[in-house]
Amino acid sequence: AIRRKPVAHLVSQLHKQKYLKTGCTQARGREMLWLLTSFESFDALFRERGDGNAAEVASLLLSLATSALLGGS
């Protein structure tokens, strides 16, 4: 719950500056970013990989967020 407000603000700014991917609503963007920035998502990937490479997990999540949200019109 504590991350909802900053995530909503970031997605709103992406939308206003026309960086949000065409067809991605702000509501959908908020949900995707909230999921991809959660500790639970990081932890699940980190544990599944089992190689102890936190930087690689962070890079993967950043790549997923970028692909899902950015693109503009």
Side-chain angles (χ1 to χ4, degrees):
I2 197 166
R3 290 185 4 262
R4 290 234 181 241
K5 195 178 262 188
V7 164
H9 178 73
L10 178 56
V11 171
S12 175
Q13 291 302 307
L14 290 171
H15 175 73
K16 286 178 187 175
Q17 296 175 21
K18 303 207 183 301
Y19 287 120
L20 200 58
K21 185 178 271 189
T22 302
C24 181
T25 65
Q26 288 187 62
R28 187 164 177 94
R30 285 190 304 268
E31 293 300 319
M32 286 191 288
L33 191 58
W34 183 84
L35 174 68
L36 292 170
T37 60
S38 71
F39 174 77
E40 292 80 7
S41 293
F42 175 88
D43 191 48
L45 283 170
F46 184 77
R47 288 175 186 264
E48 178 64 28
R49 289 175 55 95
D51 64 4
N53 193 339
E56 186 62 31
V57 172
S59 178
L60 173 60
L61 289 169
L62 179 59
S63 179
L64 289 169
T66 300
S67 296
L69 297 171
L70 301 184
S73 53

